[in-house]
Every structure is written in structure tokens, then in C-alpha cells.
Amino acid sequence: MRISAVLCGFVLTALLGLAGCATPQRATPAATSSLYDRLGGMPAITAVVDDFVGNLATDPRIKAKFANADMPRLKTRLVEQICAGSGGPCTYSGRDMKTAHAGMAISNDEFDALVDDLAKSLDKFKVPAREQKELLGILGPMRQDIVSR
Ligand code: HEM
């Protein structure tokens, strides 16, 4: 075997975590880093959640639901939840989604309104479509525990 071929395989394996030279395009940073990193880590998640919670509090479709909520605590928990769910170094310290939303009589339309408010914040902070889709793919399945009417 030629030394250059061996070196090529070794260097790529070391740098990209892939064995071989045939598929280096699979090892782009976007493909290998966590959603947390691709979102921009804690500063980006905190900025998006700040804006998102602001949207919730003013959205005529759902603001009544948040009238008595502890918004600073909600913000902290949402940041933890998104950080942990996207592979970041956080632990979610809140209640499970069923317990947290029990008795709130949340409808599918209200759930959709919240997702829409989140998408607006993600757009505002220029989170790319792929990362938006991944994040909504993590949060979307929570609908079954949150919607109760
Ligand atoms: C994917 C969708 C949703 C996620 C990820 C989510 C996440 C959370 C989290 C993490 C908490 C804090 C739980 C705790 O403190 O233990 C919370 C509380 C709450 N959520 Fe949601 N939620 C979602 C949908 C909704 C919807 C659709 C509504 C109403 C329209 C809603 C209204 C509330 C309210 C009022 C609280 C209580 C805040 C407080 O403790 O003062 N949530 N939610």
C-alpha cells in the first residue's frame, strides 16, 4: 500500500472521525456537531428564548394563558429544556410536560400558535431552516402531553 494512501486514511480518520477518503463530504461541521452547537450554544438559545417568551406574552391568541405565569422561571426552564434536548451541557430541572400543563385546557390551535411564535424568534435570529426543523422535531412530539382539549 502506498504511504500517501495510508496517510490520507489516517489523517482523515483523525480529523473527521471517518475511515477512508471516499466520503469526506459527509464530515462537514454541520453534519457532525450537535444541534446545540449549530444553534450557537447558550448565548443564541438564551436570545431566542427571551424573544420567544416576549412573543408568548403579547400574542393575542395565547397571552391569556400566560397572564399569571412566572415568566422569568419559564424562560430559565425553556432554555434548560432546549439546551438539554439539543445535546448541550444542561439538565432540565422543571416538571415533565404533562404535569406542567395539567389543567390548562390547552388546544391544538394554541399549541400551533406557540410553535409559530417560536418560529418567528428563530427566523429573527437567523437560525437556518435545517436547525429550526430539528428543534421543532424535538418539541413537536410534546404536543400529546400538553394539549388537553
Ligand atoms: C412544545 C411546546 C411547549 C413547551 C416545550 C413548553 C415548555 C414549558 C416548560 C419547560 C414549562 C416550565 C415547567 C416548570 O416550570 O416545571 C412550561 C410551563 C408553562 N407552559 Fe408550556 N410549553 C409548551 C407549550 C405550551 C402552550 C401551548 C401553552 C399555552 C398556550 C403553555 C403554557 C404554559 C404555562 C402557562 C406554563 C406555566 C408557567 C409557570 O409555571 O408560571 N405551554 N412550559
Side-chain angles (χ1 to χ4, degrees), residues 61-62 64-65 97-111 143 145-149:
R61 297 171 293 180
I62 50 175
K65 287 273 192 307
M97 290 297 93
K98 209 174 182 102
T99 309
H101 300 91
M104 288 187 193
I106 295 172
S107 68
N108 273 307
D109 283 353
E110 289 170 333
F111 188 94
R143 180 191 294 265
D145 288 332
I146 293 171
V147 169
S148 57
R149 75 177 161 104

Side-chain angles (χ1 to χ4, degrees), residues 62 65-66 68-70 73-74 77-78 81 92 94-95 97 100-101 104 106 110-111 114 139 142 146:
I62 50 175
K65 287 273 192 307
F66 293 93
N68 299 315
D70 179 341
R73 185 182 62 184
L74 179 60
R77 297 264 160 90
L78 282 168
Q81 192 182 39
Y92 173 64
R95 294 163 288 173
M97 290 297 93
H101 300 91
M104 288 187 193
I106 295 172
E110 289 170 333
F111 188 94
L114 176 136
L139 301 180
M142 296 176 184
I146 293 171

Side-chain angles (χ1 to χ4, degrees), residues 9 15 24 27-28 33 35-36 43 49 54-55 65 72 84 96 99 101 109-110 112 118 134 139 144-148:
L15 286 179
T28 57
S33 62
L35 176 59
Y36 172 81
V49 169
N55 290 344
K65 287 273 192 307
D96 66 85
T99 309
H101 300 91
D109 283 353
E110 289 170 333
D112 291 340
L118 175 57
E134 272 182 58
L139 301 180
Q144 63 189 43
D145 288 332
I146 293 171
V147 169
S148 57

Side-chain angles (χ1 to χ4, degrees), residues 35-36 39 45 48-49 52 76-88 90 92 118 122 135 138-139:
L35 176 59
Y36 172 81
L39 286 171
I45 292 173
V48 167
V49 169
F52 169 47
T76 304
R77 297 264 160 90
L78 282 168
V79 168
E80 282 174 6
Q81 192 182 39
I82 291 173
C83 168
S86 62
C90 306
Y92 173 64
L118 175 57
L122 292 167
L135 181 58
I138 293 168
L139 301 180

